[in-house]
Amino acid sequence: MKSESRNKVEATARRRGSFWKELPVLVVMALVLALVVKTFVLQAFYIPSESMENTLLTNDRVLVNKLVYRTRDIERGDIVVFSGTDSWDTYAAPQAPANPVAAFFRWAGTVFGVVPGEKDYIKRVIGVGGDTVTCCDIEGRVTVNGVALDESSYLYPGNVPSQSFFTAKVPEGRLWVMGDHRQVSLDSREHTSDPGRGSIPVDQVVGRAFVIIWPLSRATTLSIPETFARPASALAGAAPALAGFAGALPLFWLRRRWLARR
């Protein structure tokens, strides 16, 4: 009996020793996997400010899909995370920690959405390349290509669509973005003197925020409000008419020449 008991103790000790030997390998594998996922697939982001209230609150964590824009274009109404580098350069980039241990923990914090990125922003896309975004119409609303947006479902209670008047023609390959809490959001309206005149490059977009994952009491998906289908529908409806008009011009000209010869 004593021999069996001793053998069990020794086997347990060996298993424990094996676990501690394998633990560093498991940690390294987990970090490599986290890095791969962060780089190519999904990343958690921490919300550091009030600019997207009440859609997103300070200290919320959102999950960002980094693959979605490989399968479709960025759409009006998307909530996107993007880098302000070479576009919104108002703030100096913070210095990286000199201590390698501190630098590692900061990197790990950004991977898991515990700390904010150094120059990352999160805003809602209002206009895409080719759009004309204007505020305000006679009813005080933001318009996209002349179509008014009904922003009541996401605009911060008590806010007007914009405190300032503007008209922005969004260049191709760029986006006009605004926060849902308009009175405190330093968005495209506040960066018109920066490169891009407030718009941001599409290639600086990290991905689309599609779900709140923390706190659990606020966990929900982030869908595109229905109002953003209206500018797209208006453009789609105008396209056949414009094409028909363009096709009719040569026929009209040929008919005039034929009548003149008679």
Side-chain angles (χ1 to χ4, degrees), residues 190-220:
E190 307 301 323
H191 288 271
T192 53
S193 61
D194 291 356
R197 297 184 178 179
S199 65
I200 61 146
V202 168
D203 59 14
Q204 292 285 47
V205 172
V206 175
R208 176 178 181 262
F210 69 99
V211 65
I212 300 173
I213 57 172
W214 189 263
L216 293 178
S217 60
R218 285 182 40 75
T220 187

Side-chain angles (χ1 to χ4, degrees), residues 142-153:
V142 171
T143 66
V144 181
N145 303 319
V147 179
L149 298 178
D150 177 4
E151 302 189 280
S152 58
S153 66

Side-chain angles (χ1 to χ4, degrees), residues 80-151:
V80 296
V81 171
F82 60 94
S83 170
T85 304
D86 300 327
S87 186
W88 289 3
D89 290 332
T90 302
Y91 306 105
Q95 292 184 348
N99 186 321
V101 175
F104 168 78
F105 281 107
R106 178 169 183 82
W107 171 83
T110 57
V111 169
F112 296 103
V114 178
V115 296
E118 293 180 351
K119 293 207 71 176
D120 292 329
Y121 299 81
I122 185 164
K123 303 291 180 188
R124 189 182 298 277
V125 177
I126 303 297
V128 298
D131 285 347
T132 299
V133 184
T134 302
C135 192
C136 303
D137 66 2
I138 59 173
E139 296 184 31
R141 300 170 298 183
V142 171
T143 66
V144 181
N145 303 319
V147 179
L149 298 178
D150 177 4
E151 302 189 280

Side-chain angles (χ1 to χ4, degrees), residues 242-254:
L242 292 173
F245 182 74
L249 282 176
L251 295 176
F252 178 75
W253 179 76
L254 289 172

Side-chain angles (χ1 to χ4, degrees), residues 31-68:
L31 290 174
V32 170
L33 182 60
L35 179 60
V36 171
V37 171
K38 169 187 176 293
T39 304
F40 299 106
V41 186
L42 297 172
Q43 185 176 353
F45 279 87
Y46 167 91
I47 306 302
S49 72
E50 304 170 346
S51 68
M52 283 296 293
E53 290 181 338
N54 277 333
T55 306
L56 302 173
L57 304 182
T58 305
N59 298 324
D60 279 355
R61 273 72 165 177
V62 298
L63 205 57
V64 171
N65 185 335
K66 304 177 102 172
L67 291 177
V68 63

